[in-house]
Amino acid sequence: MKFCLEVTGELACFSRPEMKVERVSYDVITPSSVRAIYEAILWKPAIRWVPERIEVLSPICWASIRRNELGGKISFSNVKSAMKQGRGQLAQYIEEDRQQRAGLLLRDVHYRLHARLEMTAQAGGDEPVAKYVEMFRRRASKGQCINQPYLGCREFACDFKLVEDDSPAQPAVQDLSRDLGWMLYDLDYTDPGDPQPRFFQARLAQGVLDIPAPHSPEIRG
């Protein structure tokens, strides 16, 4: 079963993994971010979301900002030690570890997203897909979500709207055709302890980015 959502947001950052220090966004939303938006509305172990298409409804606009970030994070071993002993040093003071970093973000984004709902192996044999279809339709039409959907970074929340078949469709930006290079598709969690990134060759054609199927040869690890 396929669903379509329109999402809008003031700022977005779909970080390029090859940029190690500064945050630089891809030109458009990535498939993994599309999946995360759908999962924010409905996710159960019995279902998964497969992104299929992205339509860009507003011209691509950039914003350069500088932000304060923490240079490190709390040590996992310190957390385990504190849990075991019932005490420990888990505080982190931003005044001592502040770093100012530049970011190249997207602004005023507007996308129409298409994704397909599939059942997983964890679904029971007699579990009907119609149950999840109706759950998602009801939640999306009312604006309900498990957590607030976001555009790449959690501080960049987005609004969403379910697009029904009879809704008037705003066309994608027609003069937006370009090769976007290798784009992150998603992480492969076959080995949960060592997830691996997978990429595909992305190309915008008249404002539309078609996403290859998950196990197609176009997606490479």
Side-chain angles (χ1 to χ4, degrees), residues 106-181:
L106 297 167
R107 62 177 173 83
D108 300 326
V109 301
H110 188 184
Y111 301 119
R112 186 159 50 236
L113 311 176
H114 302 260
R116 183 177 72 252
L117 186 153
E118 290 185 350
M119 303 296 284
T120 69
Q122 299 185 54
D126 57 348
E127 201 162 15
V129 65
K131 178 178 76 173
Y132 297 103
V133 167
E134 289 307 315
M135 286 173 66
F136 182 82
R137 179 174 288 121
R138 183 180 69 252
R139 295 179 67 86
S141 61
K142 293 181 178 179
Q144 297 175 336
C145 51
I146 301 166
N147 53 64
Q148 181 62 44
Y150 56 90
L151 298 167
C153 297
R154 288 190 181 274
E155 59 264 45
F156 303 145
C158 69
D159 297 319
F160 65 89
K161 181 181 72 173
L162 178 65
V163 179
E164 303 284 4
D165 292 340
D166 55 352
S167 301
Q170 176 182 343
V173 181
Q174 294 296 304
D175 59 350
L176 198 56
S177 298
R178 68 179 68 165
D179 189 351
L180 302 179

Coordinates of all heavy atoms in Angstrom, one line a residue, residues 106-181:
L106 N 19.6 23.7 4.1 CA 18.5 24.1 3.2 C 17.5 24.9 4.0 O 17.3 24.7 5.2 CB 17.9 22.8 2.6 CG 18.7 21.9 1.8 CD1 18.0 20.5 1.6 CD2 19.1 22.5 0.5
R107 N 16.8 25.8 3.3 CA 15.8 26.6 4.0 C 14.5 26.6 3.1 O 14.6 26.4 1.9 CB 16.2 28.0 4.2 CG 16.6 28.8 3.0 CD 17.0 30.3 3.4 NE 17.4 31.0 2.3 CZ 16.7 31.7 1.4 NH1 15.4 31.6 1.5 NH2 17.2 32.3 0.4
D108 N 13.4 26.7 3.8 CA 12.1 26.8 3.2 C 11.9 25.6 2.2 O 11.6 25.8 1.0 CB 11.9 28.1 2.4 CG 12.0 29.3 3.3 OD1 11.6 29.2 4.5 OD2 12.6 30.4 2.8
V109 N 12.0 24.4 2.8 CA 11.9 23.2 2.0 C 10.4 22.8 1.9 O 9.6 23.0 2.8 CB 12.7 22.0 2.5 CG1 14.2 22.4 2.5 CG2 12.3 21.6 3.9
H110 N 10.0 22.2 0.8 CA 8.7 21.7 0.6 C 8.8 20.5 -0.4 O 9.2 20.6 -1.5 CB 7.8 22.8 -0.1 CG 6.4 22.5 -0.2 ND1 5.4 23.3 -0.8 CD2 5.7 21.4 0.2 CE1 4.2 22.7 -0.7 NE2 4.3 21.6 -0.1
Y111 N 8.4 19.3 0.2 CA 8.5 18.1 -0.6 C 7.2 17.3 -0.6 O 6.4 17.4 0.3 CB 9.5 17.1 0.0 CG 10.9 17.7 0.2 CD1 11.5 17.8 1.4 CD2 11.7 18.0 -1.0 CE1 12.8 18.3 1.5 CE2 12.9 18.5 -0.9 CZ 13.5 18.7 0.4 OH 14.8 19.2 0.5
R112 N 7.0 16.6 -1.6 CA 5.9 15.6 -1.7 C 6.6 14.2 -1.7 O 7.4 13.9 -2.6 CB 5.0 15.8 -2.9 CG 3.8 14.8 -2.8 CD 2.6 15.3 -3.7 NE 3.0 15.7 -5.0 CZ 2.8 16.9 -5.6 NH1 2.2 17.8 -4.9 NH2 3.2 17.1 -6.8
L113 N 6.3 13.4 -0.7 CA 7.1 12.1 -0.5 C 6.1 10.9 -0.8 O 5.0 11.0 -0.4 CB 7.6 12.0 0.9 CG 8.4 13.2 1.4 CD1 8.7 13.1 2.9 CD2 9.6 13.5 0.6
H114 N 6.7 9.9 -1.4 CA 5.9 8.7 -1.7 C 6.6 7.5 -1.1 O 7.9 7.4 -1.3 CB 5.8 8.5 -3.2 CG 5.1 9.6 -3.9 ND1 3.8 9.7 -4.3 CD2 5.6 10.9 -4.3 CE1 3.5 10.8 -4.9 NE2 4.6 11.5 -4.9
A115 N 5.9 6.7 -0.4 CA 6.5 5.5 0.3 C 5.5 4.4 0.3 O 4.3 4.6 0.3 CB 7.0 5.8 1.7
R116 N 6.0 3.2 0.3 CA 5.2 2.0 0.3 C 5.3 1.3 1.7 O 6.3 1.1 2.2 CB 5.6 1.0 -0.8 CG 4.8 -0.2 -1.0 CD 5.3 -1.0 -2.2 NE 6.5 -1.7 -1.9 CZ 7.7 -1.4 -2.5 NH1 7.7 -0.3 -3.3 NH2 8.8 -2.1 -2.2
L117 N 4.1 0.8 2.2 CA 4.1 0.1 3.4 C 4.2 -1.4 3.1 O 3.4 -1.9 2.3 CB 2.8 0.4 4.2 CG 2.6 -0.2 5.6 CD1 1.7 0.7 6.4 CD2 2.1 -1.6 5.6
E118 N 5.1 -2.1 3.8 CA 5.3 -3.6 3.6 C 5.2 -4.2 4.9 O 5.6 -3.7 5.9 CB 6.6 -3.9 2.9 CG 6.7 -3.5 1.4 CD 8.0 -3.9 0.8 OE1 8.9 -4.4 1.5 OE2 8.0 -3.8 -0.5
M119 N 4.8 -5.5 4.9 CA 4.8 -6.3 6.1 C 6.2 -7.0 6.3 O 6.8 -7.3 5.3 CB 3.7 -7.4 6.1 CG 2.3 -6.8 5.9 SD 1.8 -5.8 7.3 CE 1.4 -7.0 8.5
T120 N 6.7 -7.1 7.5 CA 8.0 -7.8 7.7 C 7.8 -9.2 8.2 O 6.6 -9.7 8.4 CB 8.8 -7.0 8.8 OG1 8.1 -7.2 10.1 CG2 8.8 -5.6 8.5
A121 N 8.9 -9.9 8.3 CA 8.8 -11.3 8.8 C 8.3 -11.4 10.2 O 7.9 -12.5 10.6 CB 10.2 -12.0 8.7
Q122 N 8.3 -10.3 10.9 CA 7.8 -10.4 12.3 C 6.3 -10.3 12.4 O 5.7 -10.4 13.5 CB 8.4 -9.2 13.1 CG 10.0 -9.4 13.2 CD 10.5 -8.3 14.1 OE1 10.2 -8.2 15.3 NE2 11.5 -7.6 13.6
A123 N 5.6 -10.0 11.3 CA 4.2 -10.0 11.3 C 3.6 -11.4 11.4 O 4.2 -12.3 10.8 CB 3.7 -9.3 10.0
G124 N 2.6 -11.5 12.2 CA 1.9 -12.8 12.3 C 1.3 -13.2 11.0 O 0.9 -12.4 10.1
G125 N 1.1 -14.5 10.8 CA 0.6 -15.0 9.5 C -0.9 -14.5 9.2 O -1.2 -14.3 8.1
D126 N -1.6 -14.3 10.3 CA -3.0 -13.8 10.1 C -3.2 -12.3 10.4 O -4.3 -11.9 10.5 CB -3.9 -14.6 11.0 CG -3.5 -14.5 12.5 OD1 -2.4 -14.0 12.7 OD2 -4.3 -14.9 13.4
E127 N -2.1 -11.6 10.4 CA -2.2 -10.2 10.7 C -2.5 -9.4 9.4 O -1.6 -9.5 8.5 CB -0.9 -9.7 11.3 CG -1.1 -8.4 12.1 CD 0.1 -8.1 13.0 OE1 1.1 -8.7 12.9 OE2 -0.1 -7.3 13.9
P128 N -3.6 -8.7 9.3 CA -3.9 -8.1 8.0 C -3.2 -6.8 7.9 O -3.1 -6.0 8.8 CB -5.5 -7.9 8.2 CG -5.7 -7.7 9.6 CD -4.7 -8.6 10.3
V129 N -2.8 -6.5 6.6 CA -2.1 -5.2 6.3 C -3.1 -4.1 6.4 O -2.7 -2.9 6.7 CB -1.4 -5.3 4.9 CG1 -2.5 -5.4 3.9 CG2 -0.6 -4.0 4.7
A130 N -4.4 -4.4 6.2 CA -5.4 -3.3 6.3 C -5.4 -2.6 7.6 O -5.8 -1.4 7.7 CB -6.8 -3.9 6.0
K131 N -5.1 -3.4 8.7 CA -5.1 -2.8 10.0 C -4.1 -1.6 10.1 O -4.4 -0.5 10.6 CB -4.7 -3.8 11.1 CG -4.6 -3.3 12.5 CD -4.3 -4.4 13.5 CE -2.9 -4.8 13.5 NZ -2.5 -5.7 14.6
Y132 N -2.9 -1.8 9.6 CA -1.8 -0.8 9.6 C -2.1 0.3 8.6 O -1.8 1.5 8.8 CB -0.5 -1.4 9.3 CG -0.1 -2.4 10.4 CD1 -0.2 -3.8 10.2 CD2 0.3 -2.0 11.7 CE1 0.1 -4.7 11.2 CE2 0.6 -2.9 12.7 CZ 0.5 -4.3 12.4 OH 0.8 -5.2 13.4
V133 N -2.7 0.0 7.5 CA -3.1 1.0 6.5 C -4.1 2.0 7.1 O -3.9 3.2 7.0 CB -3.7 0.3 5.3 CG1 -4.4 1.3 4.4 CG2 -2.7 -0.5 4.5
E134 N -5.1 1.5 7.8 CA -6.1 2.3 8.4 C -5.5 3.1 9.6 O -5.8 4.3 9.8 CB -7.3 1.5 8.9 CG -8.1 1.0 7.8 CD -8.5 2.1 6.8 OE1 -9.0 3.2 7.3 OE2 -8.4 1.9 5.6
M135 N -4.6 2.5 10.3 CA -3.9 3.2 11.4 C -3.1 4.4 10.9 O -3.2 5.5 11.5 CB -3.0 2.2 12.2 CG -3.7 1.2 13.1 SD -2.5 0.0 13.8 CE -1.6 1.1 14.9
F136 N -2.3 4.1 9.8 CA -1.5 5.2 9.3 C -2.4 6.3 8.7 O -2.2 7.5 9.0 CB -0.6 4.7 8.2 CG 0.3 5.8 7.7 CD1 1.5 6.2 8.3 CD2 0.0 6.4 6.5 CE1 2.3 7.2 7.8 CE2 0.8 7.5 6.0 CZ 1.9 7.8 6.7
R137 N -3.4 5.9 8.0 CA -4.3 6.9 7.4 C -5.0 7.8 8.4 O -5.1 9.0 8.3 CB -5.4 6.2 6.5 CG -6.3 7.2 5.8 CD -7.3 6.6 4.8 NE -6.6 6.1 3.6 CZ -6.5 4.9 3.2 NH1 -7.1 3.9 3.9 NH2 -5.9 4.6 2.1
R138 N -5.4 7.2 9.5 CA -6.1 7.9 10.6 C -5.1 8.9 11.3 O -5.4 10.0 11.5 CB -6.7 6.9 11.6 CG -7.5 7.6 12.7 CD -8.1 6.6 13.7 NE -7.1 6.0 14.5 CZ -6.7 4.7 14.3 NH1 -7.3 3.9 13.4 NH2 -5.8 4.2 15.1
R139 N -3.9 8.4 11.6 CA -3.0 9.2 12.3 C -2.5 10.3 11.4 O -2.4 11.5 11.9 CB -1.8 8.3 12.8 CG -2.1 7.3 13.8 CD -0.9 6.5 14.2 NE 0.0 7.3 14.9 CZ 0.0 7.5 16.2 NH1 -0.9 6.9 16.9 NH2 0.9 8.2 16.7
A140 N -2.1 10.0 10.2 CA -1.6 11.1 9.3 C -2.6 12.2 9.0 O -2.3 13.3 8.9 CB -1.1 10.4 8.0
S141 N -3.9 11.7 8.8 CA -4.9 12.7 8.5 C -5.2 13.6 9.6 O -5.7 14.8 9.4 CB -6.2 12.0 8.0 OG -6.7 11.2 9.0
K142 N -5.0 13.2 10.9 CA -5.2 14.0 12.1 C -4.0 14.7 12.5 O -4.0 15.4 13.5 CB -5.7 13.1 13.2 CG -7.1 12.5 13.0 CD -7.6 11.7 14.2 CE -9.0 11.2 14.0 NZ -9.4 10.4 15.1
G143 N -2.8 14.5 11.9 CA -1.6 15.1 12.3 C -1.0 14.5 13.5 O -0.1 15.1 14.2
Q144 N -1.3 13.2 13.8 CA -0.8 12.5 15.0 C 0.5 11.9 14.6 O 0.7 11.4 13.5 CB -1.8 11.5 15.5 CG -3.1 12.1 15.9 CD -4.1 11.0 16.3 OE1 -4.0 9.8 15.8 NE2 -5.0 11.3 17.1
C145 N 1.4 11.8 15.6 CA 2.7 11.2 15.4 C 3.3 10.7 16.7 O 2.9 11.1 17.8 CB 3.7 12.2 14.7 SG 3.9 13.7 15.6
I146 N 4.2 9.7 16.6 CA 4.8 9.1 17.8 C 5.8 10.1 18.3 O 5.9 10.3 19.5 CB 5.4 7.7 17.4 CG1 4.4 6.8 16.8 CG2 6.2 7.1 18.6 CD1 5.0 5.6 16.2
N147 N 6.6 10.6 17.4 CA 7.5 11.7 17.8 C 7.5 12.7 16.7 O 7.1 12.4 15.5 CB 8.9 11.2 18.1 CG 9.5 10.4 16.9 OD1 9.6 10.9 15.8 ND2 9.7 9.1 17.2
Q148 N 7.9 13.9 16.9 CA 7.8 15.0 15.9 C 8.7 14.7 14.7 O 9.9 14.5 14.9 CB 8.2 16.3 16.5 CG 8.1 17.5 15.6 CD 6.6 17.7 15.1 OE1 5.7 17.7 15.9 NE2 6.5 18.0 13.8
P149 N 8.2 14.6 13.5 CA 9.0 14.3 12.3 C 10.0 15.5 12.1 O 9.6 16.7 12.5 CB 8.0 14.2 11.2 CG 6.7 13.9 11.8 CD 6.7 14.6 13.2
Y150 N 11.1 15.2 11.6 CA 12.2 16.3 11.4 C 12.9 16.1 10.1 O 12.8 15.0 9.4 CB 13.2 16.2 12.6 CG 13.8 14.9 12.8 CD1 15.0 14.6 12.2 CD2 13.3 14.0 13.6 CE1 15.7 13.4 12.4 CE2 13.9 12.7 13.8 CZ 15.1 12.5 13.2 OH 15.7 11.3 13.4
L151 N 13.6 17.1 9.7 CA 14.3 17.2 8.4 C 15.8 17.0 8.6 O 16.5 18.0 8.6 CB 13.9 18.5 7.7 CG 12.4 18.7 7.4 CD1 12.1 20.1 7.0 CD2 12.0 17.7 6.3
G152 N 16.2 15.8 8.8 CA 17.6 15.6 8.9 C 18.2 15.7 10.3 O 18.9 14.8 10.8
C153 N 17.9 16.8 11.0 CA 18.4 17.0 12.4 C 17.1 17.2 13.3 O 16.2 17.9 12.8 CB 19.3 18.2 12.5 SG 20.8 18.0 11.6
R154 N 17.1 16.7 14.5 CA 15.9 16.8 15.3 C 15.5 18.2 15.6 O 14.3 18.5 15.9 CB 16.2 16.0 16.6 CG 16.2 14.5 16.4 CD 16.1 13.8 17.7 NE 16.2 12.3 17.5 CZ 15.1 11.6 17.3 NH1 13.9 12.1 17.2 NH2 15.2 10.3 17.1
E155 N 16.5 19.2 15.6 CA 16.1 20.6 15.9 C 15.3 21.2 14.7 O 14.8 22.3 14.8 CB 17.3 21.4 16.2 CG 18.4 21.5 15.2 CD 19.5 20.5 15.4 OE1 19.1 19.3 15.7 OE2 20.7 20.8 15.3
F156 N 15.3 20.5 13.5 CA 14.6 21.1 12.4 C 13.3 20.3 12.2 O 13.2 19.4 11.3 CB 15.5 21.0 11.1 CG 16.8 21.7 11.3 CD1 17.9 21.2 10.7 CD2 16.9 22.9 12.0 CE1 19.2 21.9 10.8 CE2 18.1 23.5 12.2 CZ 19.2 23.0 11.6
A157 N 12.3 20.6 13.0 CA 11.0 19.9 12.9 C 10.3 20.3 11.6 O 10.5 21.4 11.0 CB 10.2 20.3 14.1
C158 N 9.4 19.4 11.2 CA 8.7 19.7 9.9 C 7.2 19.5 10.2 O 6.8 18.8 11.1 CB 9.1 18.8 8.8 SG 8.8 17.1 8.9
D159 N 6.4 20.1 9.3 CA 4.9 19.9 9.3 C 4.7 18.8 8.2 O 5.4 18.8 7.2 CB 4.2 21.2 9.0 CG 4.4 22.2 10.1 OD1 4.4 21.8 11.3 OD2 4.6 23.4 9.8
F160 N 3.6 18.1 8.4 CA 3.3 17.1 7.3 C 1.8 17.1 7.1 O 1.0 17.5 7.9 CB 3.7 15.7 7.7 CG 3.1 15.1 9.0 CD1 1.9 14.4 8.9 CD2 3.6 15.3 10.2 CE1 1.3 13.9 10.0 CE2 3.0 14.8 11.3 CZ 1.8 14.1 11.2
K161 N 1.4 16.6 5.9 CA 0.0 16.5 5.5 C -0.2 15.3 4.6 O 0.6 15.1 3.7 CB -0.4 17.8 4.8 CG -1.9 17.8 4.3 CD -2.2 19.1 3.6 CE -1.6 19.1 2.2 NZ -2.0 20.2 1.4
L162 N -1.2 14.5 4.9 CA -1.5 13.3 4.1 C -2.1 13.8 2.8 O -3.1 14.6 2.8 CB -2.5 12.4 4.8 CG -2.9 11.2 4.1 CD1 -1.7 10.2 3.8 CD2 -4.0 10.4 4.8
V163 N -1.6 13.3 1.7 CA -2.2 13.7 0.4 C -3.1 12.6 -0.1 O -2.6 11.4 -0.4 CB -1.0 13.9 -0.7 CG1 -1.6 14.3 -2.0 CG2 -0.1 15.0 -0.2
E164 N -4.3 12.8 -0.2 CA -5.3 11.8 -0.7 C -5.3 11.9 -2.2 O -4.9 12.9 -2.8 CB -6.7 12.1 -0.1 CG -6.7 12.1 1.4 CD -6.7 10.7 2.0 OE1 -6.5 9.8 1.2 OE2 -6.8 10.6 3.2
D165 N -5.9 10.9 -2.8 CA -5.9 10.8 -4.3 C -6.7 11.9 -4.9 O -6.3 12.4 -6.0 CB -6.6 9.5 -4.7 CG -5.7 8.3 -4.3 OD1 -4.5 8.5 -4.1 OD2 -6.3 7.2 -4.2
D166 N -7.7 12.5 -4.2 CA -8.5 13.5 -4.9 C -8.0 14.9 -4.5 O -8.6 15.9 -4.8 CB -10.0 13.4 -4.4 CG -10.1 13.4 -2.9 OD1 -9.1 13.3 -2.2 OD2 -11.3 13.4 -2.4
S167 N -6.8 15.0 -3.8 CA -6.3 16.3 -3.5 C -5.6 17.0 -4.7 O -5.0 16.3 -5.5 CB -5.2 16.2 -2.4 OG -5.8 15.6 -1.2
P168 N -5.8 18.3 -4.9 CA -5.1 18.9 -6.0 C -3.6 18.9 -5.8 O -3.1 19.2 -4.7 CB -5.7 20.4 -5.9 CG -6.2 20.5 -4.6 CD -6.6 19.2 -4.1
A169 N -2.9 18.5 -6.8 CA -1.4 18.3 -6.7 C -0.7 19.5 -7.2 O -0.9 20.0 -8.3 CB -1.0 17.1 -7.4
Q170 N 0.2 20.1 -6.4 CA 1.0 21.2 -6.8 C 2.2 20.5 -7.6 O 2.8 19.6 -7.2 CB 1.6 21.9 -5.6 CG 2.6 23.0 -6.0 CD 3.2 23.7 -4.7 OE1 2.6 23.6 -3.6 NE2 4.3 24.4 -4.9
P171 N 2.5 21.0 -8.8 CA 3.5 20.4 -9.6 C 4.9 20.6 -9.0 O 5.2 21.6 -8.3 CB 3.4 21.1 -10.9 CG 2.8 22.5 -10.6 CD 1.9 22.2 -9.4
A172 N 5.8 19.7 -9.3 CA 7.2 19.8 -8.9 C 7.9 20.9 -9.7 O 7.3 21.4 -10.7 CB 7.9 18.5 -9.1
V173 N 9.0 21.4 -9.2 CA 9.7 22.5 -9.9 C 10.3 21.9 -11.2 O 11.2 21.1 -11.2 CB 10.9 23.0 -9.0 CG1 11.6 24.1 -9.7 CG2 10.3 23.4 -7.6
Q174 N 9.7 22.4 -12.3 CA 10.0 21.7 -13.6 C 11.4 22.0 -14.1 O 12.0 21.2 -14.8 CB 9.0 22.2 -14.6 CG 7.6 21.8 -14.4 CD 7.4 20.3 -14.4 OE1 7.7 19.7 -15.4 NE2 6.9 19.7 -13.3
D175 N 12.0 23.1 -13.7 CA 13.3 23.5 -14.3 C 14.4 23.0 -13.3 O 15.6 23.5 -13.4 CB 13.5 25.0 -14.5 CG 13.3 25.7 -13.2 OD1 12.8 25.1 -12.2 OD2 13.5 27.0 -13.2
L176 N 14.1 22.0 -12.5 CA 15.1 21.4 -11.6 C 15.5 20.1 -12.0 O 14.9 19.0 -11.6 CB 14.5 21.4 -10.2 CG 15.4 21.3 -9.0 CD1 16.4 22.5 -9.0 CD2 14.6 21.3 -7.7
S177 N 16.6 20.0 -12.8 CA 17.1 18.7 -13.3 C 18.6 18.8 -13.1 O 19.3 19.7 -13.7 CB 16.8 18.5 -14.8 OG 15.4 18.4 -14.9
R178 N 19.2 17.9 -12.4 CA 20.6 17.9 -12.2 C 21.0 16.5 -11.6 O 20.2 15.8 -11.0 CB 21.0 19.0 -11.2 CG 20.6 18.8 -9.8 CD 21.0 19.9 -8.9 NE 20.4 21.2 -9.2 CZ 20.4 22.2 -8.4 NH1 21.0 22.2 -7.2 NH2 19.8 23.3 -8.8
D179 N 22.3 16.2 -11.8 CA 22.9 15.0 -11.2 C 23.3 15.3 -9.8 O 24.1 16.3 -9.6 CB 24.1 14.6 -12.1 CG 24.6 13.2 -11.6 OD1 24.2 12.7 -10.6 OD2 25.5 12.7 -12.3
L180 N 22.9 14.6 -8.8 CA 23.2 14.9 -7.4 C 24.3 14.1 -6.9 O 24.7 14.2 -5.7 CB 21.9 14.6 -6.6 CG 20.7 15.4 -6.9 CD1 19.5 15.0 -6.0 CD2 20.9 16.9 -6.8
G181 N 24.9 13.2 -7.8 CA 26.0 12.4 -7.3 C 25.5 11.2 -6.4 O 24.4 10.9 -6.4

